[in-house]
Amino acid sequence: MKRSLALSRVYQLLEPGPVVLLTTARDGRSNVMAMSWLTMLEFAPPLVGCVVSNRNASFATLKATQECVINIPTDDLATQVVGIGNTSGRDIDKFATFGLTRQKASKVTAPRIAECYANLECRVVDTRMVTAYNFFVLEVVKAWLDRSCAHPRTLHHQGWGTFGITGETITLPSAMP
Amino acid sequence: MKRSLALSRVYQLLEPGPVVLLTTARDGRSNVMAMSWLTMLEFAPPLVGCVVSNRNASFATLKATQECVINIPTDDLATQVVGIGNTSGRDIDKFATFGLTRQKASKVTAPRIAECYANLECRVVDTRMVTAYNFFVLEVVKAWLDRSCAHPRTLHHQGWGTFGITGETITLPSAMP
């Protein structure tokens, strides 16, 4: 169902600010964390800046492998998103615990999450801000989108398990990307 | 109507990823730009990372004054947001053109926008990533919130004037901020 998306359109998925699920893998083990602190930095090639705290198990894996996948869930996965955010991959296999399906990525070792409507395969391209802010700069090298999900009800975290859900969509005349 | 908000709660306003209006001021002239590329970097003191392109008139003012206000609009301001994003402060007074009211900020010279339900007064605290990414690190030094706006219908830009609007809000049990 998911097909390749032009890299120049990736910003349209992340600019609205949805919660995402970040997957990493090392030595045959994969993990997933919930993340809301990310922003676009450049349109093309798409660059994404994100905070992965050094308290997260994913931090060491991301630093070592320099690879990850950004997966975008919709509100049918809200329970899993909160569960993932409240547990650690040091203790459990989050894929098994939360019933998520690993899908092979094409350019990175980290898995894609089948249940998410979009998957962005990423490589770390700048670690200069990691010491100061745990801030990684990622380049999206391959993007996948389920086009049957025309108006994704994405989750936007307001803290402590409260999420705004994207409802109505409006379009106004604009010459700006 | 707007009252002070504890700085430790500022992330709850920005983490959901709304479009914001960034105000700056210099030599008695103020300007406003629309911005979607921003992220939280730290809870307390609240640090925000944002991209202000060097093509924007606001870039030079922000760099020179090291101050700004992040104003968060709701969907009743959608037309103004798009207008602000499609014009330049080099050509027009955007406050006059789009009927926005300047409100005095308490800690910075840049004005707050009265019509926005939240205003975050900011100082630039790190410019190391400006050359590479036009990425400024801001510290929020004072926050204002209209608490009568309990479920703000914030705008989330999907590109080319299309916005998702925050509709339903859900809360799931979570121990995470």
Side-chain angles (χ1 to χ4, degrees), chain B residues 115-175:
Chain B
E115 289 78 7
C116 289
Y117 85 98
N119 313 112
L120 311 176
E121 304 182 19
C122 299
R123 291 214 180 90
V124 176
V125 293
D126 192 340
T127 56
R128 284 178 290 178
M129 288 87 90
V130 171
T131 304
Y133 305 107
N134 292 326
F135 189 77
F136 294 81
V137 179
L138 312 174
E139 178 179 340
V140 181
V141 293
K142 178 74 185 174
W144 302 90
L145 179 66
D146 178 354
R147 283 175 176 74
S148 73
C149 188
H151 294 287
R153 290 173 51 88
T154 49
L155 297 161
H156 301 261
H157 193 225
Q158 302 172 359
W160 303 106
T162 296
F163 299 88
I165 300 174
T166 301
E168 196 187 339
T169 299
I170 57 169
T171 300
L172 299 176
S174 171

Side-chain angles (χ1 to χ4, degrees), chain A residues 95-114:
Chain A
F95 286 89
T97 302
F98 300 109
L100 298 176
T101 311
R102 291 175 182 88
Q103 232 174 353
K104 209 172 155 46
S106 71
K107 303 214 169 182
V108 300
T109 308
R112 301 191 283 139
I113 298 176

Side-chain angles (χ1 to χ4, degrees), chain A residues 11-13 15-18 36-43 47 49 51 55 75 78-79 82 85-86 125-126 128-129 132-133 135 137 151-153 155-177, chain B residues 11-13 15-18 36-43 47 49 51 55 75 78-79 82 85-86 125-126 128-129 132-133 135 137 151-153 155-177:
Chain A
Y11 80 94
Q12 299 186 286
L13 302 177
E15 186 167 314
S36 278
W37 289 13
L38 72 165
T39 179
M40 290 305 302
L41 292 175
E42 188 51 86
F43 288 104
L47 298 183
V51 175
R55 292 183 300 272
D75 67 333
T79 305
V82 172
N86 279 268
V125 292
D126 191 339
R128 284 177 291 177
M129 287 87 88
Y133 305 107
F135 189 76
V137 179
H151 293 287
R153 289 172 53 89
L155 298 161
H156 301 260
H157 193 226
Q158 301 172 1
W160 304 105
T162 296
F163 299 87
I165 301 174
T166 302
E168 195 188 339
T169 300
I170 57 170
T171 299
L172 299 176
S174 172
M176 300 299 286
Chain B
Y11 79 95
Q12 300 187 286
L13 302 177
E15 186 167 314
S36 279
W37 289 13
L38 73 165
T39 179
M40 290 305 301
L41 292 176
E42 187 52 85
F43 288 104
L47 299 183
V51 176
R55 292 182 300 272
D75 66 335
T79 305
V82 172
N86 278 267
V125 293
D126 192 340
R128 284 178 290 178
M129 288 87 90
Y133 305 107
F135 189 77
V137 179
H151 294 287
R153 290 173 51 88
L155 297 161
H156 301 261
H157 193 225
Q158 302 172 359
W160 303 106
T162 296
F163 299 88
I165 300 174
T166 301
E168 196 187 339
T169 299
I170 57 169
T171 300
L172 299 176
S174 171
M176 300 298 287

Side-chain angles (χ1 to χ4, degrees), chain A residues 1-6 112 117 142-147:
Chain A
M1 201 108 108
K2 268 178 248 180
R3 283 163 43 206
S4 189
L5 175 74
R112 301 191 283 139
Y117 86 98
K142 178 75 185 174
W144 302 89
L145 179 66
D146 177 355
R147 283 177 177 71

